[in-house]
């Protein structure tokens, strides 16, 4: 018995379409559910006042500050390393066993789960280097975590800079480094920024690696050696220890909104970059 | 002077270029240094295959956690792999371009949602649903599998989608010119050509599911035992580390790092397989 190809075609489109639709519906449901439950609790007071009673009442101000500071510090550490690696791989070497090893290292690092980063950050930064649970320990751990993202996006951005640009620069007598600094990097900047924004997004949502390195103090951090609690960690503690579902939902809503905004920023950046390149 | 600056730049960049590889090695060294001697002390076989975990009295068998992690990861793949691959095919082959430009970034948003939020939804929505309709405590293998299945979707979709997008258009045109329907060209030509990339996406997703921690802690129930039904609560390897880390000292802490060693090794193997599968298609990443 032969099934007519036209029929399998329609059936396939139906099944595949339904699967895609299901994915989109789940996504919309997650975001809508959190926003509907959480948004009523998000008031100016909630955002601008410190928590009371371990978060049972009051706001989330210090965790908001932690959520801004920790990713920024992590990016400040990872950016020069990541862009430097990308420049080295694209501008200073050809494909050889060494670059293959470096790329393999980057790819493997990208696949390591965050709990392993947490274990490592705890034993290395917190215990061995005696830094304790603090902003800096957390930022260093997160920096290693987002490094692969920064390397990859920077490498792609640098590769997409047309070779003619470099040739013109060389023909004007510029050295390789001058060319990198004045021609390649400025032209690759939007792509690099996209990587940075993606890295920030990942850091904002991270919990396992942060809770064991930056700690979970609810006090306002005054230096990089103070423990901080990010919104993700705060939300986890509120939800897991059943401290307050209401505040957990509200925190989740703020978290989701931040992540969506960060992703939109990355996407529009990437779009502009591609549009500019294809001109 | 100028030449000098150039040499310095190259020297610095060469050192910086090792940052990722060096970090990877540093992580491996420290996890092993803390965990491996413990494994030898307890005995690798006893550590991996004894089924009682009770650090207070010096029993360190992680076998139930290994089995639980496997079940949960496998369950997540049962849900995430078909859904994700179907989504990737549909978006690349059947969806009009303008629509794809909206849907793809929307789905990629899934990747940005913090894992704790997934976990929380699992607790608030999924677990009660399982409790009332299927019985058991709700927090279970099934709940964890569903949540992880959804969480790995962006990984499966974006990597499969890249692989499908990388198949040259001439292949499709060839199939269509021979009178194949769109679907025939997809499953007979495109999917065959993109196979290694799709397999890589599933293996990488397995790594993600195996390594996910916070969401699993919230929805899996965390009871140390070998599950007999999908509605049984379980504790995974990752959950074991995160749950006991905050108050473990001495041997107990070493045991957690040893759990980390197991996780690290398995995930590195999965990554290596996925990476070599991706290399298989013309070196395009």
């Amino acid at each position: 018995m032969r099934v007519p190809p036209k029929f399998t075609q329609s059936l396939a489109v139906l099944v595949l379409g339904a699967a895609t639709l299901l994915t989109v519906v789940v996504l919309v449901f997650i975001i809508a559910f959190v926003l509907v439950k959480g948004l009523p609790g998000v008031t100016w007071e909630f955002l601008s006042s410190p928590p009371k009673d371990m978060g049972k009442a009051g706001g989330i101000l210090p965790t908001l500050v932690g959520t801004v500071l920790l990713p920024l510090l992590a990016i400040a550490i990872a950016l020069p390393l990541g862009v430097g690696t990308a420049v080295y791989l694209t501008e200073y070497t050809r494909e050889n066993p060494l670059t293959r090893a470096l790329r393999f290292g980057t790819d493997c690092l990208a696949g390591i789960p965050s709990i392993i980063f947490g274990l490592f950050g705890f034993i290395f930064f917190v215990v061995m280097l005696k830094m304790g649970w603090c902003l800096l320990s957390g930022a260093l751990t997160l920096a290693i975590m987002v490094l692969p993202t920064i390397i990859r996006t920077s490498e792609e951005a640098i590769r997409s800079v047309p070779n003619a640009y470099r040739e013109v620069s060389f023909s004007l007598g510029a050295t390789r480094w001058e060319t990198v600094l004045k021609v390649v990097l400025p032209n690759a900047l939007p792509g690099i920024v996209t990587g940075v924004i993606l890295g920030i997004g990942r850091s904002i949502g991270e919990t396992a690696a942060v809770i064991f390195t930056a700690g979970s103090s609810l006090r306002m951090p005054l230096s990089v050696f103070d423990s901080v609690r990010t919104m993700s960690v705060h939300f986890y503690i509120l939800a897991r220890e059943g401290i307050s579902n209401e505040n957990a939902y509200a925190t989740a809503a703020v978290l989701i909104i931040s992540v969506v905004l960060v992703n939109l920023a990355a996407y529009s950046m990437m779009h502009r970059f591609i549009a500019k390149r294809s001109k | 002077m100028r030449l000098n600056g150039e040499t310095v730049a190259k020297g610095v960049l060469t050192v910086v270029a090792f940052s990722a590889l060096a970090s990877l090695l540093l992580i491996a060294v420290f996890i092993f240094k803390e965990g491996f001697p413990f494994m030898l002390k307890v005995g690798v076989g006893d550590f991996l295959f004894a089924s009682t975990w009770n650090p207070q009295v010096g029993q360190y068998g992680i076998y139930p956690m290994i089995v639980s992690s496997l079940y949960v990861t496998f369950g997540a793949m049962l849900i995430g792999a078909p859904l994700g691959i179907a989504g990737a095919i549909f978006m690349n082959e059947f969806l009009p371009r303008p629509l794809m430009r909206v849907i793809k970034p929307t789905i990629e948003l899934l990747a940005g949602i913090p894992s704790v939020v997934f976990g929380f939804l699992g607790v608030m929505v999924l677990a009660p649903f399982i409790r009332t309709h299927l019985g058991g405590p709700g927090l279970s293998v099934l709940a964890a599998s569903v949540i992880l299945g959804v969480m790995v979707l962006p990984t499966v979709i974006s990597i499969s989608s890249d692989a499908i997008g990388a198949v040259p258009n001439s292949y499709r045109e060839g199939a269509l010119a021979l009178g194949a329907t769109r679907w025939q060209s997809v499953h007979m030509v495109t999917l065959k050509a993109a196979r290694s990339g799709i397999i890589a996406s599933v293996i990488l997703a397995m790594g993600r599911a195996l390594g996910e921690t916070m969401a699993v802690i919230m929805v899996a129930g965390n009871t140390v035992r070998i599950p007999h039904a999908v509605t049984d609560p379980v504790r995974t390897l990752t959950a074991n580390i995160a749950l006991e880390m905050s108050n473990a000292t001495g041997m107990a802490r070493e045991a957690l790092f040893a759990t980390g060693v197991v996780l690290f090794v398995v995930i590195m193997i999965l990554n290596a397989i996925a990476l070599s599968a991706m290399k298989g298609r013309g070196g395009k990443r």
Side-chain angles (χ1 to χ4, degrees), chain A residues 100 104 107, chain B residues 159 163 166-168 171 192-201 203 271-285:
Chain A
R100 273 197 290 278
F104 183 74
D107 288 341
Chain B
I159 297 175
V167 175
Y171 286 26
K192 293 233 158 69
R195 194 175 49 199
S196 53
I198 294 175
I199 294 173
S201 81
I203 299 174
N271 282 344
I273 296 172
L275 290 174
S276 66
M278 276 197 274
K279 290 267 155 54
R281 51 190 184 93
K284 199 190 170 296
R285 286 195 297 152

Side-chain angles (χ1 to χ4, degrees), chain A residues 10-91:
Chain A
S10 320
L11 188 70
V13 171
L14 200 70
V15 171
L16 296 175
T20 312
L21 190 67
L22 182 61
T23 307
V24 175
V25 166
V26 167
L27 174 74
V28 171
F29 172 78
I30 292 172
I31 294 180
F33 186 84
V34 171
L35 290 185
V36 167
K37 290 270 199 177
L39 272 185
V42 184
T43 56
W44 174 244
E45 213 199 317
F46 182 71
L47 295 174
S48 64
S49 58
K52 293 182 199 107
D53 258 357
M54 302 306 291
K56 198 174 275 175
I60 53 167
L61 184 62
T63 70
L64 212 54
V65 172
T67 306
V68 173
L69 289 182
L70 194 63
L72 285 186
L73 193 57
I75 293 292
I77 299 163
L79 187 62
L81 295 175
V83 175
T85 306
V87 168
Y88 179 79
L89 287 174
T90 49
E91 305 289 316

Side-chain angles (χ1 to χ4, degrees), chain A residues 150-217:
Chain A
I150 306 236
I151 293 177
R152 276 184 200 165
T153 44
S154 306
E155 211 190 318
E156 257 165 58
I158 291 172
R159 267 190 210 290
S160 74
V161 175
N163 246 332
Y165 288 27
R166 297 184 182 84
E167 283 154 13
V168 169
S169 170
F170 290 141
S171 73
L172 290 171
T175 63
R176 192 159 280 277
W177 177 240
E178 284 169 339
T179 307
V180 165
L181 219 53
K182 293 185 182 149
V183 178
V184 176
L185 287 185
N187 276 291
L189 193 63
I192 296 173
V193 173
T194 307
V196 165
I197 301 176
L198 289 174
I200 292 177
R202 180 143 186 232
S203 309
I204 291 177
E206 184 49 46
T207 313
V210 172
I211 200 166
F212 297 124
T213 53
S216 58
S217 159

Side-chain angles (χ1 to χ4, degrees), chain B residues 142-224:
Chain B
L142 183 62
S145 298
V146 172
I147 291 294
L148 285 176
V150 174
M151 286 180 74
V152 299
L153 277 175
T155 307
V156 178
I157 292 179
S158 76
I159 297 175
S160 297
S161 174
D162 285 349
I164 293 170
V167 175
N169 247 331
S170 54
Y171 286 26
R172 297 184 185 87
E173 285 156 8
L176 295 176
L178 289 171
T181 62
R182 195 77 220 206
W183 169 243
Q184 283 174 326
S185 105
V186 167
H187 86 96
M188 291 175 180
V189 179
T190 314
L191 287 187
K192 293 233 158 69
R195 194 175 49 199
S196 53
I198 294 175
I199 294 173
S201 81
V202 173
I203 299 174
L204 281 181
M206 272 171 83
R208 283 279 144 75
L210 192 62
E212 176 50 46
T213 312
M214 293 331 228
V216 175
I217 289 188
M218 293 170 93
V219 297
N222 303 323
T223 316
V224 184

